[in-house]
Amino acid sequence: MGLPDLRTAAYFTLGCKLNFAETSTIGKTLAARGISRCPDGATPDLCVVNTCSVTQMADKKGRSLIRRIAAKYPEATIVVTGCYAQLKPEEVAAIPGVDIVLGSDEKLRIESFIDQWLSDRRSRMVVTPIKDIKEFLPSCERGDRTRYFLKVQDGCDYFCSYCTIPFARGRSRSPRVGTLVDQARKVAAEGGKEIVLTGVNIGDFGKGGDESFFDLIRALDAVEGIERYRISSIEPNLLTPEIISWVAGESRAFMPHFHIPLQSGSDEVLRLMRRRYDTALFEERVGLVRRLMPDAFIGVDVIAGARGETPQRWQEALSFIGSLPVSRLHVFPYSERPGTVALSIEGNVDIHERHRRVGILNELSESKLRDFMNAQLGKEAQVLWEAPARDNDLMHGFTPNYLRVVAPFRPEAVNTIGRVRLDSIHPSEPDSISATLL
């Protein structure tokens, strides 16, 4: 049964891969109720905005996006959900044009709240207190991509001093291994070739129970039909030598691709951040990956200008990060978040200095990525091809070690894995490699 007066929907997502996966789940749920995705250029009846709140800038982007949508589609029903909606629901509800505000626990039950809205046309704000969020809401979707995103865990128990995610997502929780294996089998039955494991702190999978993240990845590896898995992001202390060695050796389908948040290269700043490792552990894990998988892609998250990052600690951090044999940095300026312990730490870094440090780290990242890509040129690789994002004559795909490759578009190649020779860095896309199909 469709939802009267709502025939088409437009979806807007900010933030992490998990948010994108959940937005896709929302779209699939509403499509089953008769609400189709709004064609480009048309006016939607419903707008769903899935927000992020990891930084002040994320909040600002959320507010700006909602206002633009309300101005462009004044007759549309607007639903706002996600982390910003969970943390600051009154602020979101006060934005003109917003009809429904849903918290993290309500996000994937959106259709029932739309039903209520259609029955009385009354604006509503429904947000479950974070201490009461205990249920795991599943999500496994492809969206507009070739790859599928499988949510294996939600929430976080780490409470790092600068972070609001535990207050936006709740405590760590996950389903049983068997449930996720069943979802992977459905992906294989649909013709999916690659699954990205998503979550907030996925290495914490199974916490408090009798299953572990290692149990999960071994079980998924045995699912026939899935040719590739990627681990979206995993804490360095949870990326155990056992996991690294298994991916490098026994694993059939887990790719040599790791995303490991560092946040700071200073041990004292890591302590102030309440991270659960030091630079020695991080260096050891990265070194093990590089020794066992010399061509692995290693991405690293870094925060620049955190409270307590004195000039000396910044130089220590920069030197340490520069010494790491990693492939790319994902750099963020420190952002003050209300309610976090970090606000009590002495040594606030001026906003302009934060952005100066971001610039230095971004330059370092570009250098590391260029070196990594140059080292791969001339080699052969297997690429999973995706459809072009725009109407053009190029298709793109990814190698096992997450190099983005472009080649002349062949419709029959989409969602297939083909062998290529990595020729050169693409002149207009410096993060991509031009390849010859073999």
Side-chain angles (χ1 to χ4, degrees), residues 75 127 146 185 188 195 232 320 331 353 365 385 413:
E75 301 301 318
V127 178
T146 299
R185 287 175 178 152
I195 294 176
S232 61
F320 176 74
V331 186
E353 174 62 15
S365 176
W385 295 108

mmCIF file with all atom_site columns, all heavy atoms in Angstrom, residues 75 127 146 185 188 195 232 320 331 353 365 385 413:
data_model
loop_
_atom_site.group_PDB
_atom_site.id
_atom_site.type_symbol
_atom_site.label_atom_id
_atom_site.label_alt_id
_atom_site.label_comp_id
_atom_site.label_asym_id
_atom_site.label_entity_id
_atom_site.label_seq_id
_atom_site.pdbx_PDB_ins_code
_atom_site.Cartn_x
_atom_site.Cartn_y
_atom_site.Cartn_z
_atom_site.occupancy
_atom_site.B_iso_or_equiv
_atom_site.pdbx_formal_charge
_atom_site.auth_seq_id
_atom_site.auth_comp_id
_atom_site.auth_asym_id
_atom_site.auth_atom_id
_atom_site.pdbx_PDB_model_num
ATOM 1   N N   . GLU A 1 75  ? 6.705  22.969  -1.085  1.00 0.00 ? 75  GLU A N   1
ATOM 2   C CA  . GLU A 1 75  ? 5.515  22.139  -0.880  1.00 0.00 ? 75  GLU A CA  1
ATOM 3   C C   . GLU A 1 75  ? 5.856  20.722  -0.421  1.00 0.00 ? 75  GLU A C   1
ATOM 4   O O   . GLU A 1 75  ? 4.960  19.945  -0.088  1.00 0.00 ? 75  GLU A O   1
ATOM 5   C CB  . GLU A 1 75  ? 4.695  22.068  -2.189  1.00 0.00 ? 75  GLU A CB  1
ATOM 6   C CG  . GLU A 1 75  ? 4.234  23.421  -2.710  1.00 0.00 ? 75  GLU A CG  1
ATOM 7   C CD  . GLU A 1 75  ? 3.364  24.144  -1.700  1.00 0.00 ? 75  GLU A CD  1
ATOM 8   O OE1 . GLU A 1 75  ? 2.510  23.489  -1.068  1.00 0.00 ? 75  GLU A OE1 1
ATOM 9   O OE2 . GLU A 1 75  ? 3.548  25.366  -1.532  1.00 0.00 ? 75  GLU A OE2 1
ATOM 10  N N   . VAL A 1 127 ? 12.584 11.453  19.225  1.00 0.00 ? 127 VAL A N   1
ATOM 11  C CA  . VAL A 1 127 ? 13.989 11.125  19.471  1.00 0.00 ? 127 VAL A CA  1
ATOM 12  C C   . VAL A 1 127 ? 14.086 10.302  20.747  1.00 0.00 ? 127 VAL A C   1
ATOM 13  O O   . VAL A 1 127 ? 13.752 10.784  21.837  1.00 0.00 ? 127 VAL A O   1
ATOM 14  C CB  . VAL A 1 127 ? 14.848 12.401  19.602  1.00 0.00 ? 127 VAL A CB  1
ATOM 15  C CG1 . VAL A 1 127 ? 16.298 12.043  19.908  1.00 0.00 ? 127 VAL A CG1 1
ATOM 16  C CG2 . VAL A 1 127 ? 14.767 13.240  18.327  1.00 0.00 ? 127 VAL A CG2 1
ATOM 17  N N   . THR A 1 146 ? 28.023 -0.088  -7.436  1.00 0.00 ? 146 THR A N   1
ATOM 18  C CA  . THR A 1 146 ? 28.174 -1.517  -7.684  1.00 0.00 ? 146 THR A CA  1
ATOM 19  C C   . THR A 1 146 ? 28.394 -2.251  -6.366  1.00 0.00 ? 146 THR A C   1
ATOM 20  O O   . THR A 1 146 ? 27.883 -3.355  -6.171  1.00 0.00 ? 146 THR A O   1
ATOM 21  C CB  . THR A 1 146 ? 29.379 -1.755  -8.622  1.00 0.00 ? 146 THR A CB  1
ATOM 22  O OG1 . THR A 1 146 ? 29.121 -1.089  -9.857  1.00 0.00 ? 146 THR A OG1 1
ATOM 23  C CG2 . THR A 1 146 ? 29.594 -3.223  -8.873  1.00 0.00 ? 146 THR A CG2 1
ATOM 24  N N   . ARG A 1 185 ? 24.683 -13.642 1.657   1.00 0.00 ? 185 ARG A N   1
ATOM 25  C CA  . ARG A 1 185 ? 24.194 -14.619 0.665   1.00 0.00 ? 185 ARG A CA  1
ATOM 26  C C   . ARG A 1 185 ? 23.133 -14.000 -0.244  1.00 0.00 ? 185 ARG A C   1
ATOM 27  O O   . ARG A 1 185 ? 23.084 -14.295 -1.447  1.00 0.00 ? 185 ARG A O   1
ATOM 28  C CB  . ARG A 1 185 ? 23.632 -15.851 1.385   1.00 0.00 ? 185 ARG A CB  1
ATOM 29  C CG  . ARG A 1 185 ? 24.723 -16.744 1.987   1.00 0.00 ? 185 ARG A CG  1
ATOM 30  C CD  . ARG A 1 185 ? 24.135 -17.872 2.792   1.00 0.00 ? 185 ARG A CD  1
ATOM 31  N NE  . ARG A 1 185 ? 25.175 -18.754 3.318   1.00 0.00 ? 185 ARG A NE  1
ATOM 32  C CZ  . ARG A 1 185 ? 25.059 -19.455 4.432   1.00 0.00 ? 185 ARG A CZ  1
ATOM 33  N NH1 . ARG A 1 185 ? 23.929 -19.386 5.153   1.00 0.00 ? 185 ARG A NH1 1
ATOM 34  N NH2 . ARG A 1 185 ? 26.048 -20.231 4.834   1.00 0.00 ? 185 ARG A NH2 1
ATOM 35  N N   . ALA A 1 188 ? 24.918 -11.987 -2.832  1.00 0.00 ? 188 ALA A N   1
ATOM 36  C CA  . ALA A 1 188 ? 25.449 -12.871 -3.866  1.00 0.00 ? 188 ALA A CA  1
ATOM 37  C C   . ALA A 1 188 ? 24.340 -13.317 -4.825  1.00 0.00 ? 188 ALA A C   1
ATOM 38  O O   . ALA A 1 188 ? 24.548 -13.362 -6.045  1.00 0.00 ? 188 ALA A O   1
ATOM 39  C CB  . ALA A 1 188 ? 26.127 -14.078 -3.228  1.00 0.00 ? 188 ALA A CB  1
ATOM 40  N N   . ILE A 1 195 ? 31.353 -6.388  -1.066  1.00 0.00 ? 195 ILE A N   1
ATOM 41  C CA  . ILE A 1 195 ? 30.663 -5.888  0.120   1.00 0.00 ? 195 ILE A CA  1
ATOM 42  C C   . ILE A 1 195 ? 31.656 -5.110  0.976   1.00 0.00 ? 195 ILE A C   1
ATOM 43  O O   . ILE A 1 195 ? 32.752 -5.596  1.272   1.00 0.00 ? 195 ILE A O   1
ATOM 44  C CB  . ILE A 1 195 ? 30.047 -7.026  0.951   1.00 0.00 ? 195 ILE A CB  1
ATOM 45  C CG1 . ILE A 1 195 ? 28.920 -7.712  0.171   1.00 0.00 ? 195 ILE A CG1 1
ATOM 46  C CG2 . ILE A 1 195 ? 29.514 -6.503  2.280   1.00 0.00 ? 195 ILE A CG2 1
ATOM 47  C CD1 . ILE A 1 195 ? 28.318 -8.911  0.898   1.00 0.00 ? 195 ILE A CD1 1
ATOM 48  N N   . SER A 1 232 ? 35.698 -1.112  6.274   1.00 0.00 ? 232 SER A N   1
ATOM 49  C CA  . SER A 1 232 ? 35.638 0.334   6.034   1.00 0.00 ? 232 SER A CA  1
ATOM 50  C C   . SER A 1 232 ? 36.588 1.110   6.945   1.00 0.00 ? 232 SER A C   1
ATOM 51  O O   . SER A 1 232 ? 37.299 1.994   6.500   1.00 0.00 ? 232 SER A O   1
ATOM 52  C CB  . SER A 1 232 ? 34.211 0.853   6.195   1.00 0.00 ? 232 SER A CB  1
ATOM 53  O OG  . SER A 1 232 ? 33.738 0.632   7.509   1.00 0.00 ? 232 SER A OG  1
ATOM 54  N N   . PHE A 1 320 ? 56.079 11.909  13.084  1.00 0.00 ? 320 PHE A N   1
ATOM 55  C CA  . PHE A 1 320 ? 55.650 10.512  13.158  1.00 0.00 ? 320 PHE A CA  1
ATOM 56  C C   . PHE A 1 320 ? 54.803 10.143  11.946  1.00 0.00 ? 320 PHE A C   1
ATOM 57  O O   . PHE A 1 320 ? 55.022 9.099   11.314  1.00 0.00 ? 320 PHE A O   1
ATOM 58  C CB  . PHE A 1 320 ? 54.858 10.276  14.444  1.00 0.00 ? 320 PHE A CB  1
ATOM 59  C CG  . PHE A 1 320 ? 54.300 8.883   14.554  1.00 0.00 ? 320 PHE A CG  1
ATOM 60  C CD1 . PHE A 1 320 ? 55.130 7.812   14.852  1.00 0.00 ? 320 PHE A CD1 1
ATOM 61  C CD2 . PHE A 1 320 ? 52.954 8.635   14.345  1.00 0.00 ? 320 PHE A CD2 1
ATOM 62  C CE1 . PHE A 1 320 ? 54.626 6.515   14.934  1.00 0.00 ? 320 PHE A CE1 1
ATOM 63  C CE2 . PHE A 1 320 ? 52.435 7.352   14.426  1.00 0.00 ? 320 PHE A CE2 1
ATOM 64  C CZ  . PHE A 1 320 ? 53.271 6.289   14.721  1.00 0.00 ? 320 PHE A CZ  1
ATOM 65  N N   . VAL A 1 331 ? 42.283 14.158  6.575   1.00 0.00 ? 331 VAL A N   1
ATOM 66  C CA  . VAL A 1 331 ? 42.645 15.162  7.575   1.00 0.00 ? 331 VAL A CA  1
ATOM 67  C C   . VAL A 1 331 ? 41.435 16.022  7.934   1.00 0.00 ? 331 VAL A C   1
ATOM 68  O O   . VAL A 1 331 ? 40.706 16.483  7.052   1.00 0.00 ? 331 VAL A O   1
ATOM 69  C CB  . VAL A 1 331 ? 43.779 16.058  7.053   1.00 0.00 ? 331 VAL A CB  1
ATOM 70  C CG1 . VAL A 1 331 ? 44.248 16.998  8.151   1.00 0.00 ? 331 VAL A CG1 1
ATOM 71  C CG2 . VAL A 1 331 ? 44.943 15.207  6.534   1.00 0.00 ? 331 VAL A CG2 1
ATOM 72  N N   . GLU A 1 353 ? 45.504 28.493  12.992  1.00 0.00 ? 353 GLU A N   1
ATOM 73  C CA  . GLU A 1 353 ? 46.625 27.558  13.106  1.00 0.00 ? 353 GLU A CA  1
ATOM 74  C C   . GLU A 1 353 ? 46.164 26.137  12.819  1.00 0.00 ? 353 GLU A C   1
ATOM 75  O O   . GLU A 1 353 ? 46.890 25.352  12.190  1.00 0.00 ? 353 GLU A O   1
ATOM 76  C CB  . GLU A 1 353 ? 47.247 27.654  14.498  1.00 0.00 ? 353 GLU A CB  1
ATOM 77  C CG  . GLU A 1 353 ? 48.338 26.637  14.785  1.00 0.00 ? 353 GLU A CG  1
ATOM 78  C CD  . GLU A 1 353 ? 49.557 26.752  13.873  1.00 0.00 ? 353 GLU A CD  1
ATOM 79  O OE1 . GLU A 1 353 ? 49.717 27.785  13.187  1.00 0.00 ? 353 GLU A OE1 1
ATOM 80  O OE2 . GLU A 1 353 ? 50.345 25.787  13.831  1.00 0.00 ? 353 GLU A OE2 1
ATOM 81  N N   . SER A 1 365 ? 49.722 14.193  2.526   1.00 0.00 ? 365 SER A N   1
ATOM 82  C CA  . SER A 1 365 ? 48.856 13.140  2.004   1.00 0.00 ? 365 SER A CA  1
ATOM 83  C C   . SER A 1 365 ? 48.982 13.023  0.493   1.00 0.00 ? 365 SER A C   1
ATOM 84  O O   . SER A 1 365 ? 49.092 11.912  -0.053  1.00 0.00 ? 365 SER A O   1
ATOM 85  C CB  . SER A 1 365 ? 47.398 13.427  2.382   1.00 0.00 ? 365 SER A CB  1
ATOM 86  O OG  . SER A 1 365 ? 46.538 12.459  1.806   1.00 0.00 ? 365 SER A OG  1
ATOM 87  N N   . TRP A 1 385 ? 34.550 -3.054  -12.162 1.00 0.00 ? 385 TRP A N   1
ATOM 88  C CA  . TRP A 1 385 ? 34.116 -1.853  -12.863 1.00 0.00 ? 385 TRP A CA  1
ATOM 89  C C   . TRP A 1 385 ? 32.743 -1.383  -12.400 1.00 0.00 ? 385 TRP A C   1
ATOM 90  O O   . TRP A 1 385 ? 31.847 -2.197  -12.169 1.00 0.00 ? 385 TRP A O   1
ATOM 91  C CB  . TRP A 1 385 ? 34.078 -2.091  -14.378 1.00 0.00 ? 385 TRP A CB  1
ATOM 92  C CG  . TRP A 1 385 ? 35.435 -2.354  -14.951 1.00 0.00 ? 385 TRP A CG  1
ATOM 93  C CD1 . TRP A 1 385 ? 35.925 -3.547  -15.411 1.00 0.00 ? 385 TRP A CD1 1
ATOM 94  C CD2 . TRP A 1 385 ? 36.491 -1.405  -15.111 1.00 0.00 ? 385 TRP A CD2 1
ATOM 95  N NE1 . TRP A 1 385 ? 37.212 -3.401  -15.833 1.00 0.00 ? 385 TRP A NE1 1
ATOM 96  C CE2 . TRP A 1 385 ? 37.588 -2.102  -15.669 1.00 0.00 ? 385 TRP A CE2 1
ATOM 97  C CE3 . TRP A 1 385 ? 36.622 -0.045  -14.834 1.00 0.00 ? 385 TRP A CE3 1
ATOM 98  C CZ2 . TRP A 1 385 ? 38.792 -1.480  -15.966 1.00 0.00 ? 385 TRP A CZ2 1
ATOM 99  C CZ3 . TRP A 1 385 ? 37.817 0.581   -15.127 1.00 0.00 ? 385 TRP A CZ3 1
ATOM 100 C CH2 . TRP A 1 385 ? 38.896 -0.124  -15.688 1.00 0.00 ? 385 TRP A CH2 1
ATOM 101 N N   . ALA A 1 413 ? 31.054 -4.262  -19.233 1.00 0.00 ? 413 ALA A N   1
ATOM 102 C CA  . ALA A 1 413 ? 32.053 -4.473  -18.183 1.00 0.00 ? 413 ALA A CA  1
ATOM 103 C C   . ALA A 1 413 ? 31.540 -4.136  -16.790 1.00 0.00 ? 413 ALA A C   1
ATOM 104 O O   . ALA A 1 413 ? 32.126 -4.569  -15.789 1.00 0.00 ? 413 ALA A O   1
ATOM 105 C CB  . ALA A 1 413 ? 33.301 -3.645  -18.471 1.00 0.00 ? 413 ALA A CB  1
#
